[in-house]
Amino acid sequence: MILKGHTIKEGVVEGEALVTDMSFSFLGDFDITTGEVSELHDLAGETISGKILVFPAGRGSTTGALVGYYACMFNTAPVGMICREAEPVIALNALTNNIPMVDRLDSDPVDVIRTGDFIKLDATRGEVTIIKRAAG
Amino acid sequence: MVGGEYGPGVQKAMNFLIEYGEAFDANKMVNVQSAHILPDPINMLEEITEGVEEVKTMASIHSGSPLNSNWAETLGLETENAGPVIQDAFRAYDIYKNIGCMMTVSCAPYTMGNVLKKGNVFSWAGSSGIIINNSVFGARGNRDSGLAMTASAITGRTPEIGRIRDEERYGEVLVRFQKIDFETITQADLGAIGYHIGEVAQTKNVVIDGLPNTIPFESLKYLLSPMPVSGAVSMCHIVGVTPEAPSVEVALGNRKPELEISVRPSDIVKGHSLLNGYKSTDVEVVMMGCPHLTIREMGELAKRLSGKRISDKVKLFLATNEGIYNLSKRMGYLDTIQDAGGLVITDSCIAVFPFANMKEPVTNVATNSSRCAHYLLRGGAGEIVGGKVMGTFHGSTEQCVNAALTGKWEEK
C-alpha cells in the first residue's frame, strides 16, 4: 500500500512505525537520554528512537528543534516523521536536523498506519509504503 | 543571497528559509522587522554566520538553561558534568553579540525593547512571545524554531506563510465563558483555562469572547502562554483587545467557527488537575517567572514578601531578565525579596530547570505557571540535559508565596 503526500524534508528511510493520535513535542514528551516517551503521553511505555513517528502534528515549545539536535546526537531521535499536517516547530525540527518528513497524505496516516508496521518513507518523492503489516 | 554574493553564511541561511517556505507552500519572502533567537548549536551557528558582520533587523536572545547562566553556582547546581548541551553556550552568546544581537537572554524581550506593533513581521523563538506578539500586539509571525530565527536575523527575510498571511490569521475555534468570575480569578486559573483551550484547539486559531478589556497584560501572559504547550496555538484573538478583533465576526473573518466551546469552572478544575502531581505536601522549591516576571509582578511579589522570611526548608527562585532586574533593584524590590530569603535570577528558563544537577536533591516544586508545571511534570528533555520528573504543585501566586513561607502546599 502506498500513500502519497507532501515533502517537508527530503530523504529516504525504512523502519518500524510508531503511531499516535496525540500531538507530540520534542521537549517534554520524551527523554532524550533513553528515547522513552513520557508517562503522561498516550505513547507512554514506547521508545521513539529509530522509529518512524506517525502523529497528527507538533505541539509545545519552540525549543523542539534544539532538543531534536541533541536527540540525534545521542541516537534517540526518530529516523523519520509523518504528520497529518505539520506545524512549523516540528517541520523546522526535521529541516534543521535532517530528519526525513512528509505530511498531508492522501489518506490519514494516523488511521491507516499501525504501530509495528514496517514502512518505507520516501520523503523526497513524498511517498509512504507499508511494506509489512504488524502481526495481529 | 542564494548566489553567495553576501557570503557563505547568508547563502546557507537563505537556502534554509527557501526550504522552510516550500514546506508550507510560500509564494515569496517578506522582510522581518524583528527576530528573537534561541542560540543554535555552535557548529551550526559558526557555519550560518560565516562572513556575517551584522544582523539585518532588530534581534534579541532567548533565555537558556540556568546551567548556562552566571547563577548556576548560587542556585546550587553541579556544572562539572553538565554534558555537551551547555559547554558552548557562552561562545554562542559572544557570536550573537558580535553581530549585533541584543543580549536580553529572556523569553520576555518585549519588556526590554524588542517590541512589536500591528503589521510588523517577526521571526521569534519562544512560543509564549510568539502568541503574545500575534494576539496582543497584532504583529505577524509563526512558531519558528531551529535555524529559522538566526537565518531570518542575518538575511532580514522570512517566508510568507502561516500567521503572516491574512487568511491564516482568522479564528477557527470560538471560546466563550460560563459562570467565570473575572473579578476574583487568579492568574493560575487563567493558566489552567489556557492549558485547556490549547489542548482543544491544537494548531488552530482561537477567538476568545467575554474577557473584560481592562484585563492587565500579565493576566493575558498567563492565559496565552500555556496554549502552545498543551497544543500549538500561535494566534488567539481576544475580542476587544487584539487589534484585529473589534468583534467576534471580524476575528472569525465573517465565517462560522469550526468549533465552539464554553469554558466552565469545571474546566479550570480539570486544568489544575492536569498540572498538579505530587505525593506529599512538602514544598522544597518555589519557582515563578515563566514567562519572565514583569516589573509589576516583581513589585507585587516584593509587597507580599515584605518583612517576612521564607521557610529555611524552601528555596524561592524568581526568574526575570536584566532589564527588570535592574529596575527592581532601583525600586528596592530586590532588597525586599532577598531579605525575605528569595533569589532573583536572570538569563534562565525555569521550565527546563536542571533539577537532576542540584547538589542537594529536590523532589517537590511549586509554581504559578502552567507552562512551567507542564514541563516539570515531564522532566523537560531528560536527565542528560539536567531534566528530572518533579512532584509539582500548580496554583496562584498567593498559594506559592504561602508555600515558600510555610514549606507546605495548601489547596485553595
Side-chain angles (χ1 to χ4, degrees):
Chain A
M1 180 173 194
I2 297 180
L3 309 174
K4 286 185 189 298
H6 163 261
T7 303
I8 298 285
K9 178 66 190 173
E10 294 183 347
V12 185
V13 68
E14 287 185 355
E16 203 179 295
L18 179 61
V19 187
T20 174
D21 194 23
M22 187 176 179
S23 56
F24 192 86
S25 169
F26 270 57
L27 179 64
D29 287 341
F30 83 112
D31 184 329
I32 64 170
T33 323
T34 58
E36 283 167 18
V37 177
S38 160
E39 282 183 19
L40 300 175
H41 194 276
D42 284 356
L43 287 177
E46 301 279 359
T47 300
I48 71 165
S49 317
K51 306 271 172 66
I52 297 175
L53 191 61
V54 184
F55 56 119
R59 68 167 183 171
S61 165
T62 60
T63 312
L66 184 63
V67 177
Y69 174 84
Y70 290 110
C72 290
M73 181 190 275
F74 301 133
N75 292 315
T76 53
V79 294
M81 296 194 286
I82 300 170
C83 272
R84 195 177 278 155
E85 186 168 358
E87 53 77 48
V89 170
I90 201 72
L92 287 162
N93 190 339
L95 292 170
T96 300
N97 301 310
N98 245 323
I99 304 171
M101 177 170 178
V102 295
D103 74 343
R104 290 181 260 162
L105 295 161
D106 49 14
S107 304
D108 183 357
V110 175
D111 274 350
V112 175
I113 306 171
R114 291 178 218 138
T115 291
D117 286 355
F118 191 81
I119 63 176
K120 179 182 177 185
L121 167 62
D122 184 341
T124 306
R125 299 176 64 178
E127 283 181 6
V128 178
T129 311
I130 300 171
I131 295 174
K132 190 169 184 283
R133 282 289 189 188
Chain B
M1 290 190 241
V2 286
E5 66 275 28
Y6 295 96
V10 168
Q11 182 179 30
K12 200 172 169 56
M14 204 61 207
N15 282 323
F16 184 84
L17 293 172
I18 289 169
E19 214 178 355
Y20 178 24
E22 283 171 352
F24 290 91
D25 307 324
N27 292 318
K28 61 174 183 180
M29 293 284 164
V30 290
N31 290 333
V32 294
Q33 283 79 47
S34 168
H36 180 63
I37 301 168
L38 175 70
D40 296 315
I42 193 81
N43 58 323
M44 288 188 176
L45 179 60
E46 281 171 342
E47 264 185 50
I48 204 168
T49 54
E50 193 184 346
V52 174
E53 283 179 7
E54 196 172 24
V55 286
K56 293 264 190 344
T57 184
M58 170 75 181
S60 54
I61 299 298
H62 200 47
S63 42
S65 168
L67 288 165
N68 301 340
S69 75
N70 295 322
W71 300 96
E73 191 67 38
T74 318
L75 288 164
L77 292 167
E78 175 62 64
T79 53
E80 287 287 305
N81 303 308
V85 174
I86 68 150
Q87 61 201 6
D88 294 319
F90 288 107
R91 254 174 79 209
Y93 286 159
D94 282 342
I95 293 174
Y96 283 112
K97 192 178 161 191
N98 284 337
I99 57 171
C101 294
M102 301 294 157
M103 300 310 288
T104 50
V105 198
S106 175
C107 54
Y110 43 80
T111 65
M112 275 179 88
N114 196 351
V115 186
L116 294 157
K117 52 163 268 296
K118 186 180 176 188
N120 287 159
V121 175
F122 64 89
S123 170
W124 274 34
S127 58
S128 74
I130 292 164
I131 191 168
I132 287 169
N133 280 344
N134 277 317
S135 314
V136 181
F137 301 128
R140 297 179 170 230
N142 294 297
R143 286 164 41 78
D144 284 352
S145 182
L147 284 169
M149 298 78 68
T150 305
S152 285
I154 65 178
T155 60
R157 309 283 272 168
T158 192
E160 192 189 44
I161 61 165
R163 305 300 165 260
I164 298 172
R165 296 151 56 99
D166 287 342
E167 59 271 32
E168 292 185 50
R169 289 179 68 80
Y170 295 122
E172 294 159 307
V173 177
L174 177 59
V175 178
R176 289 198 164 102
F177 299 102
Q178 259 185 28
K179 297 184 182 159
I180 307 275
D181 179 4
F182 289 106
E183 289 293 317
T184 57
I185 200 164
T186 69
Q187 289 169 338
D189 291 339
L190 289 166
I193 290 174
Y195 196 72
H196 170 67
I197 292 172
E199 192 168 271
V200 173
Q202 289 298 319
T203 57
K204 295 190 189 306
N205 296 336
V206 175
V207 179
I208 292 183
D209 184 29
L211 271 189
N213 66 2
T214 50
I215 191 167
F217 175 81
E218 287 76 5
S219 297
L220 293 179
K221 185 178 82 162
Y222 288 103
L223 171 70
L224 294 170
S225 64
M227 292 185 199
V229 172
S230 53
V233 181
S234 54
M235 176 87 220
C236 174
H237 296 267
I238 297 159
V239 175
V241 174
T242 303
E244 293 149 276
S247 68
V248 172
E249 293 71 28
V250 172
L252 288 166
N254 293 308
R255 291 177 299 200
K256 281 189 92 158
E258 290 177 26
L259 184 67
E260 282 187 64
I261 63 165
S262 247
V263 171
R264 301 178 177 87
S266 61
D267 294 311
I268 299 180
V269 173
K270 187 194 134 207
H272 281 298
S273 75
L274 292 172
L275 294 162
N276 275 282
Y278 50 85
K279 294 200 178 87
S280 88
T281 55
D282 296 331
V283 178
E284 297 160 272
V285 170
V286 175
M287 297 203 299
M288 289 182 266
C290 172
H292 279 172
L293 296 165
T294 65
I295 192 62
R296 185 187 339 223
E297 290 179 283
M298 292 296 291
E300 284 168 4
L301 284 163
K303 198 176 267 180
R304 284 181 193 276
L305 289 165
S306 178
K308 299 195 173 130
R309 181 79 203 169
I310 66 167
S311 160
D312 22 326
K313 293 186 197 113
V314 178
K315 293 181 169 74
L316 172 63
F317 300 151
L318 303 176
T320 189
N321 57 40
E322 284 287 326
I324 301 299
Y325 184 91
N326 283 305
L327 186 53
S328 299
K329 195 171 176 180
R330 176 177 266 191
M331 293 306 295
Y333 300 159
L334 212 55
D335 280 345
T336 305
I337 291 165
Q338 284 166 353
D339 288 347
L343 177 65
V344 181
I345 60 170
T346 60
D347 299 354
S348 299
C349 170
I350 54 170
V352 294
F353 195 96
F355 280 106
N357 291 56
M358 283 295 265
K359 287 175 192 162
E360 287 174 37
V362 174
T363 310
N364 288 333
V365 185
T367 183
N368 63 347
S369 159
S370 306
R371 270 180 91 78
C372 192
H374 171 98
Y375 289 119
L376 290 172
L377 285 163
R378 287 160 178 78
E383 194 181 347
I384 205 159
V385 286
K388 180 177 167 187
V389 174
M390 301 302 293
T392 304
F393 310 95
H394 173 258
S396 67
T397 304
E398 187 181 359
Q399 281 174 287
C400 286
V401 169
N402 286 341
L405 296 172
T406 64
K408 284 279 178 191
W409 186 254
E410 279 183 41
E411 291 294 337
K412 257 200 306 191

